[in-house]
Amino acid sequence: MTYFILFLIFDAWTKPELFHTGWFVESLLSQTLIVHVIRTGKIPFLESRASFPLLVTTVAICCVGIWLPYSSLAVSLGFTALPGAYWPLLLLILAGYIG
């Protein structure tokens, strides 16, 4: 789904830095959030809450991943700012992945 969105909706065929950035952010967020799914047999966030340190670490990693494309490090990492329409689509992808 991420490939489809990046290539067909945001024309990442002609903007490889956009593809790299979008894929990095989606991958980092999904891998970080899936920790909450595999840590319990219950429904994460609803029936079972992670420890405070795990929640803080998860939020910190996600915030850094979201911030990187807009930081002064972006150019050296080959990142570019993501379009605003990317974020709601990413939320749908992550919700589907976690579900």
Side-chain angles (χ1 to χ4, degrees):
M1 191 51 112
T2 304
Y3 278 24
F4 174 81
I5 288 170
L6 289 169
F7 283 127
L8 297 179
I9 295 176
F10 296 113
D11 194 31
W13 292 104
T14 60
K15 305 170 197 160
E17 66 282 350
L18 178 64
F19 175 79
H20 292 230
T21 306
W23 183 250
F24 170 80
V25 171
E26 187 277 337
S27 179
L28 179 72
L29 295 182
S30 64
Q31 291 176 38
T32 304
L33 293 174
I34 205 65
V35 168
H36 292 274
V37 174
I38 64 173
R39 61 168 265 291
T40 182
K42 299 178 180 178
I43 299 173
F45 305 110
L46 299 177
E47 296 178 344
S48 174
R49 291 204 170 80
S51 66
F52 182 73
L54 180 59
L55 287 172
V56 169
T57 304
T58 301
V59 169
I61 290 169
C62 290
C63 287
V64 169
I66 292 168
W67 168 77
L68 275 174
Y70 305 97
S71 73
S72 58
L73 299 171
V75 173
S76 62
L77 294 171
F79 291 163
T80 188
L82 293 163
Y86 175 79
W87 298 105
L89 295 171
L90 177 62
L91 288 175
L92 289 173
I93 291 169
L94 293 174
Y97 186 64
I98 289 172

